[in-house]
């Protein structure tokens, strides 16, 4: 019976970059995929078209993951339409880089709210749905920066380290209901988030990566799909997708 039900995935920040690639990978695996996005309607519509072309009953929902009321309202709408949520990819994220001594309170709070508090806002209602289903899989997008820190990213490193602790605690709490919770720690991935970096900084970074190349959103997406759907005996893990940067 269970096998005949079409699974439903929610990918936050799914309109572009890593989230878009995860959404496509899950649609390829036969899931109906709901993407969330912050504001770029054109990018979201284009991604939805791509997902539908893969046979997925896809929709895009615009809401701010750092706004509790917006999240609750939209998760309720998604549940009303789809009737279940099997996979959650907590992917939406931002950077507001700067040396800590000059970091404004606004830049600290924006990053913590969007990258960490959002995980609470989104996962809280979704985990209740998964608990009733007695099944589900959650993949949180962390970062290598959450494991080893980075100059100019005290806010981002704090949020991503928080995501790793969140993953491990939640994995322990939800295991009894057959809900798995894992995290991915991407290294340097080519997306809008990283394209503003100066060329010489990119060359220097690449030199430090054992595989000597930057990653692509697809490199992360195949791992997200593996953790979300295939790795049935894996929970509470943080899997690096970083070309060997840290191990
Ligand atoms: P991106 O900037 O290309 O895409 C971010 C996505 O998040 C967009 O779809 C955007 O609409 C959405 N988003 C941002 N703020 C939002 C909000 N308040 N509410 C709803 N959606 C919001 O970024 P990228 O590179 O694809 O990153 C995705 C995730 O991967 C992020 O969590 C990021 O921290 C993480 N990551 C990225 C790395 C990289 O090298 N690109 C490395 C390590 C982690």
């Amino acid at each position: 019976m269970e096998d005949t039900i079409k699974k439903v995935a929610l990918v936050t920040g799914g309109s572009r970059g890593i989230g878009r690639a995860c959404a496509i990978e899950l649609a390829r695996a036969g899931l109906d995929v709901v993407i969330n996005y912050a504001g770029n309607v054109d990018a979201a519509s284009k991604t939805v078209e791509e997902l539908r072309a893969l046979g997925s009953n896809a929709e895009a929902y615009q809401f701010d993951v750092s706004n509790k009321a917006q999240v609750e309202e939209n998760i309720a709408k998604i549940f009303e339409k789809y009737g279940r949520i099997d996979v959650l990819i907590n992917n939406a994220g931002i950077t507001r880089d700067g040396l800590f001594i000059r970091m404004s309170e606004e830049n600290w709070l924006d990053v913590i709210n969007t990258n960490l508090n959002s995980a609470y806002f989104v996962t809280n209602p979704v985990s209740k749905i998964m608990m009733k289903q007695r099944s589900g899989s959650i993949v949180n997008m962390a970062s290598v920066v959450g494991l080893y820190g980075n100059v100019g990213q005290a806010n981002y490193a704090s949020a991503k380290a928080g995501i790793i602790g969140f993953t491990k605690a939640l994995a322990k709490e939800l295991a009894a209901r057959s809900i798995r919770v894992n995290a991915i720690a991407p290294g340097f991935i080519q997306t809008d988030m990283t394209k503003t970096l100066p060329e010489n900084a990119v060359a220097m970074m690449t030199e430090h990566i054992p595989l000597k190349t930057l990653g692509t959103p697809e490199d992360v997406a195949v791992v997200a799909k593996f953790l979300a759907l295939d790795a049935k005996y894996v929970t509470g893990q943080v899997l690096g997708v970083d070309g060997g940067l840290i191990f």
Side-chain angles (χ1 to χ4, degrees):
M1 184 64 186
E2 183 72 11
D3 285 346
T4 60
I5 296 168
K6 199 161 184 201
K7 286 187 172 174
V8 177
L10 168 61
V11 182
T12 67
S15 59
R16 63 170 201 246
I18 293 171
R20 172 180 164 275
C22 291
I24 289 172
E25 202 58 33
L26 292 169
R28 280 205 187 107
L31 276 72
D32 285 340
V33 182
V34 177
I35 59 164
N36 144 263
Y37 67 104
N40 190 335
V41 184
D42 288 345
S45 308
K46 207 167 152 262
T47 302
V48 165
E49 271 174 41
E50 288 178 278
L51 297 171
R52 288 184 181 159
L54 292 165
S56 180
N57 181 16
E59 294 269 357
Y61 287 74
Q62 180 177 14
F63 57 91
D64 178 354
V65 290
S66 68
N67 181 314
K68 186 171 185 268
Q70 283 186 30
V71 171
E72 279 179 354
E73 187 189 327
N74 281 280
I75 299 288
K77 278 190 200 157
I78 293 164
F79 183 61
E80 198 179 317
K81 170 148 184 154
Y82 288 87
R84 56 189 299 115
I85 299 176
D86 299 284
V87 171
L88 168 64
I89 314 276
N90 278 316
N91 166 80
I94 56 167
T95 50
R96 296 283 183 270
D97 297 351
L99 289 178
F100 183 67
I101 48 162
R102 280 190 241 122
M103 187 174 285
S104 66
E105 184 179 347
E106 189 187 1
N107 282 352
W108 173 269
L109 290 177
D110 278 355
V111 167
I112 299 294
N113 283 332
T114 305
N115 296 15
L116 179 59
N117 292 340
S118 63
Y120 167 75
F121 296 142
V122 176
T123 311
N124 188 271
V126 171
S127 62
K128 286 176 186 155
I129 293 168
M130 289 178 169
M131 283 174 83
K132 282 197 190 120
Q133 289 168 185
R134 294 191 164 268
S135 71
S137 180
I138 299 168
V139 178
N140 298 318
M141 217 48 82
S143 167
V144 288
V145 170
L147 290 164
Y148 75 34
N150 196 21
V151 171
Q153 293 196 307
N155 49 1
Y156 187 76
S158 303
K160 294 303 189 182
I163 283 290
I164 290 168
F166 172 67
T167 300
K168 289 173 184 283
L170 207 61
K172 289 197 160 90
E173 282 191 30
L174 299 182
R177 298 284 180 117
S178 304
I179 300 163
R180 297 180 301 101
V181 189
N182 291 289
I184 295 177
F188 199 153
I189 311 297
Q190 284 173 298
T191 66
D192 287 351
M193 189 177 267
T194 48
K195 80 176 178 197
T196 50
L197 293 168
E199 229 173 83
N200 58 343
V202 174
M204 230 170 68
M205 295 277 297
T206 311
E207 200 42 50
H208 285 102
I209 301 169
L211 286 180
K212 298 285 177 236
T213 181
L214 305 188
T216 65
E218 291 70 30
D219 291 332
V220 181
V222 292
V223 176
K225 183 253 176 187
F226 165 73
L227 288 173
L229 299 177
D230 308 326
K232 300 234 186 298
Y233 201 52
V234 177
T235 195
Q237 299 301 308
V238 183
L239 193 38
V241 183
D242 61 4
L245 199 57
I246 51 165
F247 59 83

